[in-house]
Amino acid sequence: MDNGIAKYDFVVVGGGPVGLAAAAAAASRGMTTVVIEKYDFHGGHGSSAGSERQWRLQYAEADLAALTLSARTAWRDLEARVRRRLVHETGSLWFGDGRQHSSEGQIEAAVAVLDTLGLPYETVNSTALRTRFGFAALPSSYSGVHQPQGGVIDVAAARWALLEEARAAGCELRAGTEILDLTPDDSGVTLRTREGGYHAGHVIVTAGAWTAPLLSRVGVRLDLRIYELTKAYFRIRSSRDLPTWFAFQPPTAADANLFYGFGRLPWGTDDFVQVSPLFETDPLDDPAARTGRPRRHDLERVTAWVRDHMPDLDPTPLWPGTCLASLPGAHDRQFYLGGAAGLVPHGERIVVCAGGWAFKFVPVFGRACVELALTGRTEHGLERTGLTLENAT
């Protein structure tokens, strides 16, 4: 420490899953590494809150489907190290209007990618949606695809595993510490907090909804939209179970008309499942403005959807709440992952991972952040997700 400045090879800003995975990847290479987290390492404050995430291999984009296969291997490697199942392959069902585009993609395009990659799936017609999966009163034109290697990620177990990996690798973990500003120069990056300063050869920013305002202080603008999305649980009243699922439907005048849900959680002991709307409306200017209260319209809509189309569930919503999502303004971008080289002076010292439905990619993204910091490239073909000159102010 010089003049009150603690020195490290890597400072990771944000102690969510990607940040912890990146820190462990850096420390395992012998790099001195510290993770600085504004809140704590137990989750619940940002986009990694909650207990479950959908896991799927079907993507309308071939590169992202291939990336998911890499992530599948990385998750299995992590599971072997911590001796605990984190990704449960209970199946993934997409159904509805096969041509309808959404933030999740499109069914017909995803099927073409599955064919290209030789991944297994089965088509599901409207009769099977009713008799096998229990969805009622859907348009007769609805069909879908069931991919057996999809499923659900145990979020709490994954956070624990990643935290233990970071600790075991020798990372320092600093909770309750907010980065006030960062300044890159030709020797690294200096970061300032209320408690003191840090200097690192490289900084990895994985601060979720707080990433954009932090980067704006060095002249990098990310088009991230922050949404407080509604979620709810419903009691199961039959013995039938479901895979994770997503319903592709044309939008209404009032909302996106998109719904998704889960089956029984393999690690759970109760008979409740999540069914939620995906209505990206009224973005927040500040993540701190989240209320934790679902929008009345959204809760009424998902309640009606369960009542009308899911007779296996009691349509009374339980534990209604919200989750925070940070999404790129352009859906086809999916997420940001790249270095700031060329955007700001000494930007090669800063790597960013932010936005999108990215939990499934966590172990791959963590490693990719370190590779980008050290060499400026990664083996995973993430060029189109990187920061661009259009993002610079």
Side-chain angles (χ1 to χ4, degrees), residues 198-214:
Y198 298 82
H199 187 272
H202 302 279
V203 167
I204 297 174
V205 181
T206 61
W210 291 266
T211 297
L214 178 61

Side-chain angles (χ1 to χ4, degrees), residues 85-327:
R85 179 67 68 188
L86 305 173
V87 178
H88 299 260
E89 295 185 351
T90 59
S92 175
L93 173 68
W94 279 11
F95 66 91
D97 183 339
R99 297 164 296 178
Q100 182 64 44
H101 288 272
S102 81
S103 58
E104 286 289 278
Q106 184 200 43
I107 296 175
E108 290 182 352
V111 168
V113 171
L114 291 172
D115 284 334
T116 298
L117 295 179
L119 293 173
Y121 68 90
E122 59 180 313
T123 56
V124 178
N125 60 23
S126 59
T127 300
L129 286 172
R130 182 182 71 255
T131 59
R132 177 178 170 186
F133 297 106
F135 291 98
L138 294 174
S140 59
S141 60
Y142 276 15
S143 61
V145 58
H146 176 258
Q147 209 284 322
Q149 295 162 309
V152 58
I153 304 173
D154 184 341
V155 170
R159 284 201 307 260
W160 165 83
L162 293 161
L163 186 60
E164 290 304 304
E165 285 262 295
R167 282 179 175 148
C171 300
E172 293 185 34
L173 304 170
R174 305 283 174 84
T177 302
E178 181 180 4
I179 298 297
L180 302 178
D181 60 49
L182 65 166
T183 305
D185 57 37
D186 58 3
S187 67
V189 183
T190 301
L191 304 96
R192 185 173 62 89
T193 75
R194 292 183 180 87
E195 294 77 18
Y198 298 82
H199 187 272
H202 302 279
V203 167
I204 297 174
V205 181
T206 61
W210 291 266
T211 297
L214 178 61
L215 291 177
S216 68
R217 297 169 193 173
V218 296
V220 176
R221 181 180 63 84
L222 296 186
D223 182 17
L224 280 179
R225 313 290 171 84
I226 305 168
Y227 298 98
E228 187 171 13
L229 303 176
T230 294
K231 65 177 182 177
Y233 290 81
F234 297 84
R235 185 188 300 273
I236 303 171
R237 55 186 183 188
S238 85
S239 60
R240 178 165 24 211
D241 199 7
L242 283 171
T244 61
W245 58 269
F246 192 96
F248 290 75
Q249 303 186 118
T252 69
D255 55 54
N257 199 27
L258 301 172
F259 300 90
Y260 68 95
F262 298 81
R264 289 179 175 87
L265 299 181
W267 60 89
T269 59
D270 53 34
D271 279 339
F272 303 97
V273 295
Q274 182 188 159
V275 180
S276 297
L278 184 56
F279 301 166
E280 297 167 16
T281 56
D282 301 328
L284 302 176
D285 293 328
D286 183 346
R290 66 181 300 181
T291 66
R293 298 187 299 273
R295 296 173 69 226
R296 180 177 177 179
H297 168 84
D298 297 2
L299 191 58
E300 289 178 347
R301 284 281 281 124
V302 71
T303 299
W305 206 87
V306 169
R307 182 196 64 223
D308 295 343
H309 303 300
M310 302 189 74
D312 290 345
L313 304 183
D314 184 316
T316 304
L318 303 170
W319 312 297
T322 66
C323 58
L324 205 61
S326 305
L327 306 175

